[in-house]
Amino acid sequence: MHLPVFRTRLTDLFGIRHPILAGGLMWLSDARYVAAVVRAGGMAFLTPRSFAEPDGFARELEKCRKLTGGLPFGVNLNVSKVEGHNLRLEAWLELSLRAGVRHFETVGRAPGDLIHRIHAAGGIAIHKCPLLRHALNAERAGADAICLIGVEAGGHPGAAQLGSLVVAPMAARQLSVPLVVAGGIGTGESLLAALASGAEGVLLGSRLLAAAEIWAHPAYKARIVAAAQDSSVVTFAGTHPMGAWRVLENATSREVLRREAAGARDHAEFADLVGGTRSRDHAYRDGDVERGMLSCGPAAAFCDMVEPMEAIFDRLMTEAVAARRRLAGLTLDMVSA
C-alpha cells in the first residue's frame, strides 16, 4: 500500500509514509534490511555493533545510502551497561553524521549528551526504553520521540513488566513528544490498537525476521515461519548484564533455563552458550537453529511465509484499514442509542 493511510506526528517527524519503525536487529540489521524498510514506507536503523570494525560500518552506511536511493535512513546507538563496550560510540556517531544520517535511535541510560550532539548536527533522536520513568527522563533530556518496550518484545525488554497495550495509554497521558510502542505487534490490527491507545506509531522486530531481505539462512527463516505463539522463552531474568532476554526456544535457551534452575547466576557460567558471535555464525549463517540465543518475541507467530518487506508492509496496512472499517461499522447512532 504505497499511499499513506495514517498521518501522525511520527510520520511527520521522520518523513515516512507509514507509522512503522523497524528494530535495529543485532547481526541482521544491515543495509539491505534497512533500505527495504525505508522503501516500504517505514524507518529502520543500522546497528553499528553488528560490524567488527568501524570501516565495515562505514562501508555499510555507503551501501545503505545507495540502496535507499537517497531516502533518509537511521542508525541505532546503544549505550551499553557493560564496561568497555562504548569505546566506539563516538566513532559510530561521527561516521553516521559524515554519511548524512540525521535519524537516530538511542538506547541505554543517560542519553542526554548523545541527544544534544545529535541535535547540534541537525539530527533527531528517538529514545527506546522499557519504563515510563526512563521515558520521561529522556523527554526532559531532549528526545524528539520515545519508544516504550512492552514485556512481549524479543531481545532485551529491560525491566519492562507490562504489555505494550498497557504501556501505551499510560505513557500517552504523560509524554508530550510522539510515542512509539513495541512488543508483540505483528498485525495491522495491533497497529490500529496502538494508535487507538495513544501511540503515534509502532516498532516491529520479530514480525520482520522472515523478510526476504533479511540475510539469514533459509533454515532459520523456516523456523521463524513455523513459530507458534509459545515459541519464545524469557531467559536471564536477573542474571544477565542487560537483564531478561526473550529468545526463540531451542537447545541453547533450554540449557540456559536448566542452568538457571540449578542455581547458576554468574554470567561466566553461561559464556559457552551465549558469548561472542554464536547466534550469527551457527543460526543466521549456517542454519543451525538449535545453537545460539536468537532474539525473538511472540509476534514471530504472525510470520507465515518468507516474503519481501514491501509485501509485509502492504499486508499490515491492509489489515489496519480493514480493522478500522470494522470498528466504524460498530459505531452506534448516538440518537437511537
Side-chain angles (χ1 to χ4, degrees):
M1 188 169 292
H2 298 286
L3 294 176
V5 177
F6 302 103
R7 180 179 178 181
T8 71
R9 288 188 297 165
L10 183 81
T11 60
D12 289 346
L13 179 66
F14 282 102
I16 51 181
R17 293 197 305 275
H18 305 309
I20 300 175
L21 308 183
L25 310 174
M26 185 62 182
W27 304 127
L28 300 176
S29 185
D30 64 358
R32 190 167 176 239
Y33 161 77
V34 169
V37 171
V38 168
R39 292 196 305 268
M43 177 56 61
F45 306 90
L46 274 177
T47 305
R49 293 187 185 277
S50 295
F51 302 91
E53 298 294 336
D55 286 350
F57 175 55
R59 288 191 295 271
E60 206 68 14
L61 286 166
E62 177 61 20
K63 182 178 179 181
C64 197
R65 187 184 66 80
K66 292 178 180 177
L67 288 176
T68 59
L71 291 173
F73 63 92
V75 166
N76 169 289
L77 295 175
N78 189 328
V79 183
S80 175
K81 296 179 182 179
V82 181
E83 186 177 354
H85 281 209
N86 296 315
L87 299 179
R88 290 177 173 166
L89 194 62
E90 174 78 22
W92 294 331
L93 176 58
E94 289 303 318
L95 286 169
S96 302
L97 294 173
R98 200 179 307 158
V101 174
R102 293 298 182 270
H103 295 167
F104 293 89
E105 175 189 63
T106 62
V107 186
R109 52 189 176 179
D113 289 344
L114 189 55
I115 292 172
H116 176 74
R117 294 176 58 207
I118 290 169
H119 285 169
I124 59 175
I126 179 169
H127 186 69
K128 185 166 67 178
C129 54
L131 298 174
L132 180 53
R133 66 174 181 270
H134 296 164
L136 292 168
N137 287 337
E139 182 182 57
R140 285 190 287 269
D144 301 286
I146 294 293
C147 177
L148 271 171
I149 306 169
V151 70
E152 312 96 329
H156 297 284
Q161 294 296 317
L162 298 176
S164 56
L165 293 185
V166 176
V167 167
M170 289 181 176
R173 284 163 166 76
Q174 297 190 54
L175 293 170
S176 60
V177 298
L179 168 68
V180 172
V181 292
I185 297 170
T187 67
E189 293 90 342
S190 301
L191 167 59
L192 188 65
L195 296 177
S197 297
E200 302 200 41
V202 296
L203 183 139
L204 306 180
S206 301
R207 176 62 182 89
L208 306 179
L209 291 175
E213 293 84 358
I214 292 281
W215 67 263
H217 195 281
Y220 166 77
K221 292 186 184 181
R223 178 66 183 86
I224 294 298
V225 169
Q229 62 185 21
D230 57 353
S231 291
S232 68
V233 295
V234 177
T235 62
F236 291 127
T239 61
H240 191 278
M242 294 186 69
W245 194 352
R246 184 181 285 278
V247 296
L248 193 68
E249 184 189 9
N250 63 4
T252 299
S253 60
R254 287 192 293 272
E255 176 59 17
V256 166
L257 290 172
R258 188 197 67 77
R259 294 185 191 182
E260 285 188 293
R265 292 294 180 268
D266 191 281
H267 183 63
E269 297 176 87
F270 304 96
D272 61 310
L273 298 172
V274 305
T277 60
R278 283 171 174 77
S279 58
R280 183 195 68 185
D281 296 343
H282 297 303
Y284 302 146
R285 187 189 67 192
D286 298 337
D288 185 352
V289 296
E290 296 301 322
R291 299 181 69 183
M293 296 288 278
L294 310 176
S295 294
C296 181
F302 296 113
C303 300
D304 54 8
M305 68 179 79
V306 175
E307 58 185 332
M309 192 71 72
E310 188 170 13
I312 295 174
F313 270 59
D314 284 351
R315 196 182 340 175
L316 289 167
M317 300 314 299
T318 298
E319 291 168 348
V321 169
R324 184 172 62 180
R325 287 174 180 159
R326 185 179 70 83
L327 289 179
L330 300 176
T331 302
L332 293 173
D333 185 319
M334 297 305 293
V335 176
S336 61

